[in-house]
Amino acid sequence: GVSLALDGVATRPDVALYGRSENININLWWGLIMIGFGGAMLYFGLRAHRRPLHSASGDATEAREHKLGLERE
């Protein structure tokens, strides 16, 4: 995303390159979209990594199953 956005910035004055896309700098816009999507994935990945894997109710269920002999290992 960063390299595509940088390419869009570097080729900004080139009208012939973007003539078919009605002079819209496709490389710049898609690079920015990719950077935003990558940032969102990084945010949600770090957020999920900090979340606990089990809850207090899960601990109670594990203790109950262990007491009753229901859990398989």
Side-chain angles (χ1 to χ4, degrees), residues 21-71:
S21 64
E22 298 179 2
N23 294 327
I24 297 172
N25 194 339
I26 298 294
N27 291 336
L28 176 63
W29 285 108
W30 274 108
L32 292 174
I33 289 169
M34 290 172 72
I35 290 170
F37 182 75
M41 291 296 107
L42 181 64
Y43 169 74
F44 287 122
L46 291 174
R47 186 175 141 199
H49 183 67
R50 286 182 261 151
R51 186 178 57 197
L53 295 177
H54 62 282
S55 63
S57 63
D59 289 339
T61 301
E62 286 291 326
R64 181 174 42 83
E65 287 179 351
H66 181 69
K67 182 179 173 183
L68 296 173
L70 298 175
E71 64 181 15

